Amino acid sequence: MGKERERFLDMVVYQIYPRSFLDTNGDGIGDLNGVRARLDYLCELGVNAVWLCPCYKSPNCDNGYDISDYRDIMDEFGTLADWDELIKEMHLRGLRLIMDLVANHTSSQHEWFKKARLSRDNPYHDYYIWADVPPNDWQSVFGGSAWEYNEPTGEYYLHSFAIQQPDLNWGNPKVRREICDIVDFWAEKGVDGFRCDVLDYISKDFTADKMYNGPHLHEYIRELFGRENVRHLFTIGECSLGGRDVCDICGENRRELTTVFQFEHLRFDGVDKYLPPSFSLDDVRDVLIKWQNFTAENSLLYTLFTDNHDWPYYISRFGNDKELRYECATAIAAMFYLLRGIPFIYQGQEYGAANSYYDDISAFNDVETLNYYKAREGGTPRARLMAEVNRGSRDNSRRPMAWTGDTATAHGFSTAKPWLKTATRADEINLEKDKKRERSVFRFYQQLLALRKENECIRRGSFADLTNERKGCFVYERALGEDRCIVVCNFDKAQEIVLPSCVKEGEFVYALGNYKDGEEYSSRFRPFEVAVYLKK
Ligand code: GLC
Ligand code: CA
């Protein structure tokens, strides 16, 4: 892999959902000044980049993923001047800023769409996708038909997501030009990269059963990011692609993207997050091994993540967020973030945040969750439906950050009533309390990231799977020149895991673990125990 690309392996990204991060002006909604107020905190944690979820003007049908003006900041989040100040302060601290680029659709309140829907001969009409009769029975990701009738023109428009999120017509060169201009606008303001929302949706084949990965996908991406002035940016696509398509979209000489988010370890094919998962951490391990090998064979950059704003917390879904919460949060973090790739940490993970439980649908805000509920209300017994909603809702990870134990300030998030109810376990699980514990998730994250930073072999070395027993554990090695790092992770009940024979006291040091009690070199592993060894 070329040097230019390899340096991205030194990045550690922290994802911020600004609405829920920190409110500084007392309106119950997180804001850009809240992000700025916590930059030192991010440095203390040990990250060096931030992915900021959308902060552009938006009516918030999908919390910012429905943009009505791509060149301005949402009123609730602040102003462009606040944003300028934010990026300045970030760069002063060596933090890069990755903005969210939502280019598959706009808000129905965007000027383009407001005009487009007026008449068939409006100059903006062709910015969107229209049909006299729906050409297929595509279902929107958020439920219901993906085609919505528009009275004034007597046509249907396509919305892959909510009705208020009409899909742009990327077949129209003017639309592609507009998106290039938006990218240039922010690039000139100094952003370091873009996380590209559902990028695989921008090209469509109306005869296919899937709404994504159409025939012009790669051509459009090259037109956008292959340009000289934006080649230096870090670009990451949210894509549901596999195999060859991944090589094409982020292959080294393709002039498309730097990398993609790959979701197999979260979704497997067709798995519904509202239902109990039908796969285990053993399956997750096998998927990780597959992608470690695949990306190495094809010189691709891989991304390491467990959580984001679209999923319930990983430790709640696959692990144990009750009596083994600390062990589970730290073991999973070590298992993922010591692999080869770029770590992405979602806000809250670093203090072991877990899912909430609310009895009533009024405690939820997310359009996807509310649509899910509406579609099943009446047909599914209420208790079961609420269990599903609590298990799968995106609001789990969107609840305000719990900075402190102080309930009078919504756990340090705001002096006002927060826009979304705080996490139900925030009294027990908050940053302040975590930091005071002897077994602190935050401190483990700090040590983990410091270990990555100090060891080139972890950042850039090769990967080899050393797992013998195929149940409940993952043992792997990272190697660079003479340097070695061995990670042993038990994600089952206590069991014997034979350490690789090279790991002997004296030759390897125990660099990190979540049960430090004199049994550092023992082959008996406790539940969710992880041990990391470095060659001396
Ligand atoms: C992506 C975003 C998600 C959003 C959707 C539509 O999947 O991550 O939050 O709802 O795109 O923009
Ligand atoms: Ca605010």
Side-chain angles (χ1 to χ4, degrees):
M1 182 175 301
K3 285 260 171 303
E4 274 298 293
R5 281 215 138 196
E6 213 172 29
R7 76 196 156 96
F8 288 123
L9 288 170
D10 301 338
M11 260 170 53
V12 180
V13 188
Y14 186 89
Q15 184 194 346
I16 293 182
Y17 197 68
R19 206 172 186 75
S20 301
F21 192 64
L22 180 67
D23 171 27
T24 56
N25 66 343
D27 63 356
I29 298 172
D31 40 56
L32 294 186
N33 287 338
V35 177
R36 184 155 61 90
R38 288 291 189 268
L39 295 180
D40 288 335
Y41 166 73
L42 299 183
C43 296
E44 181 194 340
L45 174 63
V47 304
N48 55 28
V50 169
W51 153 23
L52 190 62
C53 280
C55 58
Y56 316 96
K57 282 236 185 316
S58 164
N60 284 310
C61 154
D62 188 18
N63 287 343
Y65 283 95
D66 46 326
I67 300 174
S68 54
D69 183 349
Y70 286 84
R71 290 180 176 81
D72 206 351
I73 302 296
M74 189 189 300
D75 291 332
E76 294 161 333
F77 289 176
T79 62
L80 254 185
D82 294 337
W83 185 90
D84 288 334
E85 200 52 36
L86 174 65
I87 191 168
K88 192 180 103 208
E89 292 287 326
M90 287 185 66
H91 285 166
L92 278 174
R93 289 168 176 78
L95 294 165
R96 301 187 207 194
L97 177 56
I98 299 160
M99 294 283 275
D100 218 302
L101 180 71
V102 188
N104 173 68
H105 45 266
T106 68
S107 159
S108 51
Q109 296 306 307
H110 194 289
E111 284 306 315
W112 299 337
F113 191 70
K114 286 206 238 164
K115 290 177 183 148
R117 73 188 314 174
L118 292 177
S119 68
R120 292 187 184 213
D121 54 13
N122 189 286
Y124 286 95
H125 187 258
D126 203 26
Y127 270 41
Y128 295 87
I129 297 167
W130 301 98
D132 289 332
V133 184
N136 51 43
D137 62 358
W138 285 354
Q139 297 296 298
S140 118
V141 174
F142 294 158
S145 169
W147 297 95
E148 181 71 9
Y149 189 66
N150 179 53
E151 194 67 65
T153 58
E155 298 161 293
Y156 292 82
Y157 67 86
L158 179 71
H159 62 91
S160 298
F161 294 85
I163 292 169
Q164 298 86 340
Q165 291 169 303
D167 283 41
L168 283 165
N169 174 18
W170 275 70
N172 179 352
K174 282 193 199 142
V175 167
R176 304 203 294 275
R177 188 67 249 159
E178 297 271 13
I179 305 295
C180 286
D181 288 348
I182 291 165
V183 162
D184 291 353
F185 172 83
W186 291 100
E188 278 158 28
K189 288 178 80 56
V191 310
D192 302 284
F194 290 100
R195 174 269 185 187
C196 309
D197 192 62
V198 293
L199 196 66
D200 50 345
Y201 279 68
I202 61 176
S203 168
K204 289 144 174 108
D205 171 359
F206 295 100
T207 63
D209 55 350
K210 287 195 176 102
M211 285 141 78
Y212 55 88
N213 201 9
H216 301 289
L217 180 64
H218 300 287
E219 169 193 328
Y220 294 163
I221 296 176
R222 271 199 298 280
E223 191 171 329
L224 185 59
F225 291 127
R227 296 170 304 136
E228 217 41 60
N229 62 324
V230 292
R231 283 305 300 152
H232 63 285
L233 296 175
F234 173 77
T235 50
I236 173 163
E238 184 199 21
C239 298
S240 299
L241 305 176
R244 275 262 52 94
D245 288 319
V246 172
C247 296
D248 286 347
I249 209 167
C250 60
E252 194 153 19
N253 299 314
R254 296 276 306 177
R255 309 180 78 212
E256 294 187 28
L257 301 176
T258 315
T259 183
V260 289
F261 283 124
Q262 210 293 319
F263 291 93
E264 207 175 333
H265 60 289
L266 276 157
R267 182 156 45 210
F268 287 69
D269 261 345
V271 172
D272 183 340
K273 63 187 170 184
Y274 292 94
L275 304 177
S278 54
F279 55 98
S280 67
L281 286 170
D282 280 305
D283 301 305
V284 169
R285 174 205 54 222
D286 292 342
V287 167
L288 290 174
I289 295 171
K290 179 181 102 180
W291 282 97
Q292 286 288 296
N293 292 333
F294 182 82
T295 49
E297 282 154 20
N298 295 285
S299 281
L300 305 172
L301 287 166
Y302 189 65
T303 46
L304 308 166
F305 70 100
T306 51
D307 291 86
N308 69 28
H309 65 293
D310 289 332
W311 295 85
Y313 284 110
Y314 211 74
I315 61 165
S316 300
R317 241 181 124 203
F318 301 115
N320 181 332
D321 70 0
K322 301 288 182 320
E323 60 283 351
L324 293 172
R325 188 175 56 83
Y326 165 82
E327 291 76 5
C328 181
T330 50
I332 289 183
M335 160 165 149
F336 273 79
Y337 297 138
L338 295 173
L339 290 168
R340 187 181 156 91
I342 305 166
F344 278 76
I345 298 164
Y346 180 68
Q347 66 184 44
Q349 260 183 266
E350 76 275 27
Y351 59 80
N355 281 0
S356 291
Y357 196 94
Y358 278 104
D359 258 340
D360 199 88
I361 194 68
S362 64
F364 295 84
N365 160 280
D366 172 30
V367 55
E368 181 198 89
T369 306
L370 300 182
N371 285 356
Y372 184 91
Y373 184 88
K374 259 183 251 142
R376 284 161 188 79
E377 202 183 4
T380 313
R382 209 193 94 90
R384 205 178 89 200
L385 184 53
M386 283 318 292
E388 289 177 14
V389 161
N390 277 290
R391 185 186 299 112
S393 177
R394 306 196 291 185
D395 283 332
N396 278 304
S397 56
R398 298 178 177 190
R399 299 203 179 273
M401 278 281 280
W403 297 97
T404 70
D406 178 22
T407 46
T409 58
H411 296 92
F413 168 72
S414 172
T415 52
K417 185 171 171 246
W419 71 278
L420 181 67
K421 281 197 155 80
T422 46
T424 41
R425 295 171 67 192
D427 284 342
E428 168 207 353
I429 312 175
N430 61 66
L431 178 72
E432 183 184 50
K433 198 162 184 176
D434 177 79
K435 278 181 158 180
K436 283 188 190 140
R437 287 192 181 109
E438 204 184 309
R439 311 184 85 200
S440 152
V441 179
F442 179 82
R443 268 201 308 286
F444 187 93
Y445 264 79
Q446 273 186 318
Q447 289 161 1
L448 183 67
L449 298 183
L451 199 68
R452 256 193 95 91
K453 189 170 178 194
E454 286 153 19
N455 291 281
E456 198 181 358
C457 127
I458 300 175
R459 281 177 283 116
R460 305 193 178 191
S462 59
F463 162 88
D465 173 37
L466 302 180
T467 318
N468 280 323
E469 306 84 351
R470 293 319 270 195
K471 229 188 129 13
C473 69
F474 189 8
V475 184
Y476 64 83
E477 177 188 73
R478 304 292 313 283
L480 186 71
E482 292 295 297
D483 292 337
R484 295 279 177 282
C485 173
I486 306 253
V487 180
V488 184
C489 181
N490 176 30
F491 40 82
D492 209 338
K493 36 191 184 315
Q495 62 171 326
E496 292 282 320
I497 303 176
V498 182
L499 296 179
S501 58
C502 64
V503 178
K504 288 186 202 88
E505 215 167 336
E507 289 171 35
F508 273 73
V509 280
Y510 180 85
L512 182 66
N514 56 0
Y515 282 82
K516 285 183 195 151
D517 55 4
E519 291 200 45
E520 281 79 357
Y521 292 86
S522 151
S523 60
R524 208 180 70 82
F525 275 73
R526 273 75 50 100
F528 284 106
E529 178 166 4
V530 67
V532 184
Y533 306 93
L534 281 177
K535 194 172 172 201
K536 271 193 176 165

Coordinates of all heavy atoms in Angstrom, one line a residue, residues 1-9 250-253 257-259 299-301:
M1 N 0.8 -1.2 0.0 CA 0.0 0.0 0.0 C 0.9 1.3 0.0 O 1.9 1.3 0.7 CB -0.9 0.0 1.3 CG -1.8 1.1 1.3 SD -2.9 1.0 2.8 CE -3.8 -0.5 2.4
G2 N 0.5 2.2 -0.8 CA 1.3 3.5 -0.9 C 1.4 4.2 0.4 O 0.5 4.1 1.2
K3 N 2.4 5.0 0.6 CA 2.6 5.7 1.9 C 1.5 6.7 2.1 O 1.0 6.8 3.3 CB 3.9 6.5 1.8 CG 5.2 5.7 1.9 CD 5.7 5.8 3.3 CE 6.9 4.9 3.6 NZ 6.6 3.5 3.4
E4 N 1.0 7.3 1.1 CA -0.1 8.3 1.2 C -1.3 7.7 1.9 O -2.0 8.3 2.7 CB -0.5 8.8 -0.2 CG 0.3 10.0 -0.7 CD 0.2 11.2 0.2 OE1 -1.0 11.7 0.2 OE2 1.1 11.6 0.9
R5 N -1.6 6.4 1.4 CA -2.8 5.7 2.0 C -2.5 5.2 3.3 O -3.4 5.2 4.2 CB -3.0 4.5 1.1 CG -3.7 4.9 -0.2 CD -4.7 3.8 -0.5 NE -5.9 4.4 -1.0 CZ -7.1 3.7 -1.0 NH1 -7.1 2.4 -0.7 NH2 -8.2 4.3 -1.4
E6 N -1.3 4.7 3.5 CA -1.0 4.0 4.7 C -1.1 4.9 6.0 O -1.4 4.5 7.0 CB 0.4 3.4 4.7 CG 0.5 2.1 5.5 CD 1.8 1.4 5.3 OE1 2.8 2.1 5.0 OE2 1.8 0.2 5.4
R7 N -0.8 6.2 5.7 CA -0.9 7.1 6.8 C -2.3 7.3 7.4 O -2.5 7.7 8.6 CB -0.3 8.5 6.4 CG -1.2 9.3 5.6 CD -0.6 10.5 4.9 NE -1.4 10.8 3.7 CZ -2.3 11.8 3.7 NH1 -2.5 12.6 4.8 NH2 -3.0 12.0 2.7
F8 N -3.3 6.9 6.6 CA -4.7 6.9 7.2 C -4.8 5.8 8.3 O -5.7 5.9 9.1 CB -5.7 6.6 6.1 CG -5.9 7.8 5.2 CD1 -5.7 7.6 3.8 CD2 -6.2 9.0 5.6 CE1 -5.8 8.7 2.9 CE2 -6.4 10.1 4.8 CZ -6.2 9.9 3.4
L9 N -3.9 4.9 8.3 CA -4.0 3.9 9.4 C -3.6 4.5 10.8 O -3.8 3.8 11.8 CB -3.0 2.7 9.1 CG -3.5 1.8 8.0 CD1 -2.4 0.8 7.6 CD2 -4.8 1.0 8.4
C250 N -13.0 1.4 -3.4 CA -12.0 2.0 -2.6 C -10.6 1.4 -2.9 O -9.7 1.4 -2.1 CB -12.3 2.0 -1.1 SG -12.6 0.4 -0.4
G251 N -10.5 0.8 -4.1 CA -9.2 0.2 -4.5 C -8.2 1.4 -4.6 O -8.5 2.5 -4.9
E252 N -6.9 1.0 -4.5 CA -5.9 2.0 -4.4 C -5.8 3.0 -5.6 O -5.6 4.2 -5.4 CB -4.5 1.4 -4.1 CG -3.5 2.4 -3.7 CD -2.4 1.8 -2.9 OE1 -2.2 0.6 -2.9 OE2 -1.7 2.6 -2.2
N253 N -5.9 2.5 -6.8 CA -5.7 3.4 -7.9 C -7.0 3.7 -8.6 O -7.0 4.1 -9.8 CB -4.7 2.7 -8.9 CG -3.4 2.5 -8.2 OD1 -2.9 3.4 -7.5 ND2 -2.9 1.3 -8.3
L257 N -13.0 6.2 -3.5 CA -13.0 6.6 -2.0 C -11.8 6.1 -1.3 O -11.1 5.2 -1.8 CB -14.2 5.9 -1.4 CG -15.6 6.3 -1.9 CD1 -16.7 5.4 -1.2 CD2 -15.9 7.8 -1.7
T258 N -11.5 6.6 -0.1 CA -10.4 6.1 0.7 C -10.8 4.7 1.2 O -10.0 3.8 1.2 CB -10.1 7.0 1.9 OG1 -10.1 8.4 1.4 CG2 -8.8 6.7 2.5
T259 N -12.0 4.6 1.8 CA -12.5 3.4 2.4 C -14.0 3.4 2.5 O -14.7 4.3 2.1 CB -11.8 3.2 3.7 OG1 -12.2 1.9 4.3 CG2 -12.2 4.2 4.7
S299 N -5.0 -4.8 -0.8 CA -4.5 -3.5 -0.4 C -5.6 -2.5 -0.2 O -5.5 -1.4 -0.7 CB -3.6 -3.0 -1.6 OG -2.4 -3.6 -1.5
L300 N -6.5 -2.9 0.6 CA -7.6 -1.9 0.9 C -7.5 -1.5 2.4 O -6.9 -2.2 3.2 CB -9.0 -2.6 0.8 CG -9.3 -3.2 -0.6 CD1 -10.6 -4.0 -0.5 CD2 -9.4 -2.2 -1.6
L301 N -8.1 -0.3 2.7 CA -8.1 0.1 4.1 C -9.5 -0.4 4.6 O -10.5 -0.3 4.0 CB -8.1 1.6 4.1 CG -6.7 2.3 3.9 CD1 -6.9 3.8 3.6 CD2 -5.8 2.0 5.0

